[in-house]
Amino acid sequence: MNWENKLPQFPEPYWRDSVKLPSFSKLTEDKKVDVAIVGGGISGITAAYLLTKQGLNVALLEADKLLNGTTGHTTAKITAQHDIIYDELISHFGEEKARLYYEANYDALNFIKKTTRELHIDCDFIEEDAYVYTNSEEKLSKLQKEAAAYSRLSIAGGLVDSMPLDLEMKSAIVMKNQAQYHPLKFMKVLVDKITEAGGSIYEQTTATDVEPGNHPVVTTKDGHKVTCDYLIVGSHFPFYDKGFYFTRMYAERSYLLALKTKKSYPGGMYLSAETPKRSIRYTPFNGENLVIVAGEKHKTGHGTNTFQHYEHLAEFGDELFGIEEVVNRWSAQDLTTLDKIPYIGAMTKDNPNIFVATGYRKWGMTTGTAAGMLLCDIILQKQNPYEQLYTPSRFQADPSVKQFIAQNADVGGHFVAGKIGMVHKTVDELQPDEGAVVKVNGKRAGCYKDANGKLHIVDTTCTHLGCEVEWNDGERSWDCPCHGSRFSFSGEVMEGPAVEPLKKVHLD
């Protein structure tokens, strides 16, 4: 089946219009607070909620709208089952740290569960078992090792030969009593509690620089300053990077569909062990269940035809459930660290009052919550068992060295390839709602022709470190293959580490 005309034209999460989030004004004056938080995602909101509960004066700065970035584009699983990970963690870090990783995420799940009950939040919180399944002999061996790791770590679950979802599989591993929810419904209540407790929230307020010291000073794009005792940089990719995080993480895109299906959903949350990845869950929506199908990950800026990833997911969903309607489609960007464990804690040893929270892979709902909880404890000088596990200053010889070399060699290759890449279209050849790399005034440029025929032309040199961006036809964006920066068709920053927009190009 040709899905091109059956998928929604513009990518948007299914929950975007189902929750009316409050609006907040830009920062228009200098401020002095106890804690400044840059980034209005789950880690920042969780930290702000917990800190304001303790009476601290908190200011949260968001460059765009709250929950409009990675947190707003999640699959919304709340789980400690992060693919096949625990045997690997035991191998690289030992049994104690592997157990701490599980317990940190399980604590985050329980925090969400407890908070939902205490604040009477109607956020579609549903406990479900989580499964990783395989049809591969190679992955079958890995699942067996993972089951042994579950046993060593006392994780409720293990190998099973059947699942509630009827799909072809050789085996699966289950983790009991995980959960899913509606993230915007949950975090809207936390946002309300933050402001009720005296916390300040500012939208459309882009932080551009930090002056470190005993009282760090955050400078915004408009020139205003926020002085604080503690600073949390929770802006997905750190906008202020004194730890060379752009060399220690890589960005991946993945894709999601919300489906009305002919077959009913049997419950449970599912993830394929092999690639291409397939993640499956359901959600209550307007009195019925939508099926969420996700997967098709690739490194940002490396996709040649990103729209095809949605088509592949639609084919999979139709074969499994029978699709009546594709209600929504959207994509997500996730950051993976060298050793797959997030960086949460002091950004550098020299600045113990400036914290970073990043690198959650695909599991930001749990690890982002754990980050907010951990940073709150550090600021309040409370003991937290997970501080050393997540400390950003760690560097494991295995696997960090291998990943560091591989990722940065890949960056160098794309830097060179982008500069000498062929240009295949001219501006005149572009159709309405089409973008491409073109040659303008004798130089490489990027051009998008909108539905009204207006041209939006930009310099394709990324403003972070000078790699060449590529066109993402699925999201109508310019994506950098080196460090994952993303820009709108008109050049505005959508994802860091870049902080400056692409330069405009004008036709002679």
Side-chain angles (χ1 to χ4, degrees), residues 231-243:
L231 169 62
I232 295 174
V233 179
S235 53
H236 193 44
F237 211 117
F239 82 96
Y240 174 71
D241 187 355
K242 293 303 178 183

Side-chain angles (χ1 to χ4, degrees), residues 245-263:
Y245 288 89
F246 66 88
T247 68
R248 299 167 60 194
M249 296 189 293
Y250 60 92
E252 288 185 327
R253 305 293 298 167
S254 56
Y255 302 84
L256 304 91
L257 298 178
L259 310 173
K260 289 184 179 180
T261 61
K262 297 174 183 177
K263 296 180 181 178

Side-chain angles (χ1 to χ4, degrees), residues 84-100:
I84 304 173
I85 187 67
Y86 289 100
D87 178 65
E88 182 178 342
L89 292 177
I90 291 173
S91 173
H92 292 312
F93 303 103
E95 192 170 312
E96 180 181 355
K97 286 190 175 180
R99 182 178 291 107
L100 286 172

Side-chain angles (χ1 to χ4, degrees), residues 44-57:
I45 288 175
T46 300
Y49 167 71
L50 293 171
L51 291 167
T52 54
K53 278 185 68 175
Q54 297 300 314
L56 274 69
N57 184 10

Side-chain angles (χ1 to χ4, degrees), residues 478-500:
W478 295 103
D479 297 355
C480 178
C482 291
H483 302 113
S485 295
R486 298 182 63 236
F487 306 84
S488 69
F489 60 76
S490 59
E492 297 303 313
V493 177
M494 298 171 65
E495 304 263 5
V499 295
E500 295 295 330

Side-chain angles (χ1 to χ4, degrees), residues 416-449:
V416 174
K419 292 293 186 186
I420 62 175
M422 295 292 292
V423 175
H424 298 289
K425 280 189 178 275
T426 67
V427 171
D428 293 337
E429 290 174 330
L430 291 178
Q431 300 299 311
D433 194 29
E434 183 182 7
V437 173
V438 297
K439 187 167 287 188
V440 175
N441 305 329
K443 297 180 180 180
R444 188 184 200 271
C447 183
Y448 170 70
K449 180 184 286 187

Side-chain angles (χ1 to χ4, degrees), residues 125-144:
F125 182 92
I126 303 170
E127 290 187 295
E128 293 283 355
D129 293 341
Y131 298 83
V132 178
Y133 67 92
T134 187
N135 277 301
S136 161
E137 289 295 335
E138 177 191 358
K139 297 296 183 181
L140 181 59
S141 172
K142 289 183 178 295
L143 281 187
Q144 291 167 345

